[in-house]
Amino acid sequence: MDHMERIVIEGGRRLNGETAVHGAKNSALPILAGSLLAGGETVLYNCPRLSDVDAAIEILQVLGCKVTREGTTVTINSDTMTQNEIPEELMHEMRSSIVFLGAMVSRLSKVRLSFPGGCELGPRPIDLHISSLQKLGVRVDEQHGILDCSVEKGLHGAKIMLSFPSVGATENILLAAVMADGVTEIRNAAQEPEIVDLAGYLTARGAKIKDAGKSTVYVEGVKTLHSAAYTVMPDRIVAATYLSAAAITGGKVWVTDLNPADLESVLPVFEQAGCRMKIMRDCIFMEGPGMIHPVRNIRTLPYPGFPTDAQAPVMALLTLSSGTSVFVETIFENRYKHVVELCRMGADIKTEGQVAVVRGVKKLYGANVQATDLRGGAALVVAGLAAEGTSRIGQLYHIDRGYESIEQAFAALGADIRREGT
Ligand code: EPZ
């Protein structure tokens, strides 16, 4: 990871052409964790080439699994898994490594992980993960940031009511419950498409899961799982980012290899902004508007509401609208860090607590800015594509966690964009 790399954009070119969406990071990560359940082999297709995926593969290898990778196909054999501890550096490298916990306690009777601390989105507690796993029979001792977990008599099914539909907690419960003794019922479960994808993978291996994607999910524990091949779903946030970029430049772009149903709450926002879209089975044609209209109220919510991950790229689009748009961020406390950077480029945005008021400006101007987090970083690229003059975006490691060579995708659509070294 080279912290001195930058993306340099000469803004103002319309995007034109066709671009494909890669596999979903937030689906690949829990599936990779699931590959260590029960031993056997998983062949994962459409697995995105991202630094977060590299970190997950490294964790699997440290635990003793054999992993090979060819392009977007990753093959994991977990027969040889021996280790019960993820080193602290790896836990810190990727906060979502907590999703390994549910799979590890299914396989081993003792597991030790260090607590992933806060992150750039504010404090991200794991209380729901812990209390749920306790209900399934895991003993958790937490001291000085270390989680010592033990399973004395094997995992058992339980009724779990989540006070908030946490994506990660729902994934951890699924991973721990598929081989537990008896039935698990998850109420107020997260309904994100990535949950359905994880359940699809586990089902392909022989798990019995009912109603994944609904608010109450049932899991009937099975004794063993078998090997399977599975294809990761398209990344709906990458799709939303490409659509925002096409729209802000007034371009005409086919975004392919996506699932429009996963974008149900995002597409109406583009429509209100004046975009014209043709929605096909697995692709969307986006025609950016001559004049971007404001969107009165965008509230981020658990699925099927508007995704918090799409908030920043869509905000970049609306900085150039002809009026005032309002965002309310209800999922994460600290998810407006990109606002200061967008304002450096000439945007007019005021935030107070959960609310951001975006007054459209006539132009954005190229500036030197820093990616503050993954989606915030992508928003700066979207803004840079439409800004007058040169934008330089630093701290690219944030963006590389979730976008496969974002600059190449936009360059292929006609943007003047490149990555520069130190
Ligand atoms: C997943 O994070 C995604 N990450 C996030 O994407 C995404 O923003 C988020 O879901 C919401 O959709 C992965 O899938 C790897 P949550 P996760 O548990 O599972 C609170 C990206 O950019 N909470 O649904 O961590 C929490 O603090 C990333 O790709 C608790 O209070 O999300 C937050 O406010 C960023 N206690 C809210 O719930 C808990 O035990 C939502 O978190 C767990 C969560």
Side-chain angles (χ1 to χ4, degrees):
M1 145 168 45
D2 182 351
H3 284 218
M4 301 308 284
E5 277 186 344
R6 291 153 194 265
I7 283 178
V8 182
I9 310 174
E10 307 293 337
R13 295 214 181 177
R14 285 190 177 183
L15 300 187
N16 272 299
E18 184 181 317
T19 187
V21 172
H22 58 69
K25 165 179 84 80
N26 290 347
S27 166
L29 297 177
I31 293 176
L32 286 169
S35 73
L36 63 75
L37 288 168
E41 190 174 271
T42 292
V43 181
L44 201 54
Y45 300 115
N46 202 31
C47 189
R49 287 161 291 194
L50 302 168
S51 58
D52 264 10
V53 169
D54 298 340
I57 289 176
E58 209 177 318
I59 289 176
L60 288 168
Q61 286 169 330
V62 164
L63 295 176
C65 302
K66 294 208 172 81
V67 187
T68 57
R69 196 174 184 182
E70 233 186 284
T72 57
T73 302
V74 177
T75 305
I76 307 104
N77 188 310
S78 63
D79 285 336
T80 46
M81 175 174 164
T82 45
Q83 295 302 308
N84 64 354
E85 190 172 338
I86 301 180
E88 203 175 322
E89 318 86 76
L90 282 174
M91 285 301 287
H92 281 278
E93 199 167 311
M94 184 178 66
R95 188 202 171 275
S96 43
S97 48
I98 188 68
V99 82
F100 276 85
L101 185 56
M104 287 175 77
V105 292
S106 169
R107 185 101 195 249
L108 304 163
S109 55
K110 282 207 183 317
V111 169
R112 182 172 239 237
L113 299 186
S114 66
F115 198 98
C119 73
E120 60 275 5
L121 306 181
R124 287 173 82 177
I126 53 169
D127 53 313
L128 298 173
H129 300 246
I130 304 294
S131 59
S132 303
L133 292 175
Q134 283 170 332
K135 288 221 165 86
L136 296 170
V138 183
R139 246 190 71 187
V140 183
D141 287 317
E142 198 186 317
Q143 265 180 43
H144 314 301
I146 303 285
L147 293 177
D148 264 314
C149 303
S150 55
V151 183
E152 264 143 40
K153 294 186 201 124
L155 297 175
H156 52 76
K159 272 196 181 177
I160 300 170
M161 167 84 195
L162 291 173
S163 56
F164 178 87
S166 155
V167 174
T170 303
E171 289 164 350
N172 255 331
I173 298 169
L174 284 177
L175 290 166
V178 286
M179 291 183 68
D181 190 19
V183 174
T184 297
E185 181 180 328
I186 317 169
R187 290 186 170 253
N188 199 23
Q191 301 175 51
E192 269 69 2
E194 291 77 11
I195 300 287
V196 179
D197 212 30
L198 173 62
Y201 159 73
L202 294 170
T203 304
R205 293 195 60 193
K208 292 192 175 157
I209 302 171
K210 204 176 123 222
D211 290 345
K214 296 193 181 158
S215 175
T216 304
V217 183
Y218 303 88
V219 184
E220 189 186 327
V222 293
K223 291 264 177 303
T224 184
L225 297 175
H226 49 74
S227 299
Y230 193 76
T231 303
V232 176
M233 66 177 268
D235 196 307
R236 62 194 167 103
I237 307 303
V238 169
T241 306
Y242 289 177
L243 291 169
S244 302
I248 199 173
T249 66
K252 291 184 185 167
V253 176
W254 283 98
V255 183
T256 70
D257 297 40
L258 52 71
N259 181 6
D262 295 341
L263 291 161
E264 228 167 52
S265 59
V266 181
L267 299 182
V269 169
F270 288 124
E271 263 161 21
Q272 285 175 52
C275 303
R276 287 177 39 183
M277 287 177 289
K278 262 187 230 143
I279 299 163
M280 319 289 268
R281 191 179 57 85
D282 64 355
C283 59
I284 296 177
F285 177 71
M286 161 65 79
E287 187 177 341
M291 187 212 280
I292 301 168
H293 302 294
V295 179
R296 195 165 295 159
N297 184 2
I298 300 175
R299 179 179 286 265
T300 67
L301 287 170
Y303 196 84
F306 187 91
T308 172
D309 291 345
Q311 177 252 107
V314 169
M315 184 182 290
L317 168 66
L318 294 175
T319 58
L320 284 178
S321 86
S322 58
T324 301
S325 308
V326 176
F327 287 83
V328 183
E329 169 61 56
T330 78
I331 307 293
F332 288 109
E333 274 176 39
N334 200 356
R335 221 171 185 185
Y336 284 140
K337 284 197 169 171
H338 49 283
V339 164
V340 175
E341 306 296 309
L342 287 173
C343 290
R344 276 185 215 275
M345 301 174 78
D348 179 354
I349 308 167
K350 302 257 177 323
T351 62
E352 192 172 324
Q354 298 186 315
V355 179
V357 177
V358 183
R359 293 181 159 204
V361 292
K362 291 228 155 45
K363 266 189 185 175
L364 293 173
Y365 298 92
N368 290 343
V369 290
Q370 305 296 337
T372 51
D373 58 65
L374 167 56
R375 309 301 170 188
L380 300 178
V381 176
V382 170
L385 292 171
E388 188 177 295
T390 311
S391 296
R392 291 188 182 78
I393 302 160
Q395 308 280 31
L396 296 186
Y397 63 95
H398 287 297
I399 301 179
D400 293 336
R401 286 183 43 221
Y403 295 84
E404 271 186 15
S405 345
I406 197 167
E407 74 283 4
Q408 284 174 24
F410 291 136
L413 294 173
D416 186 342
I417 181 172
R418 63 186 187 276
R419 186 180 288 246
E420 276 183 4
T422 43

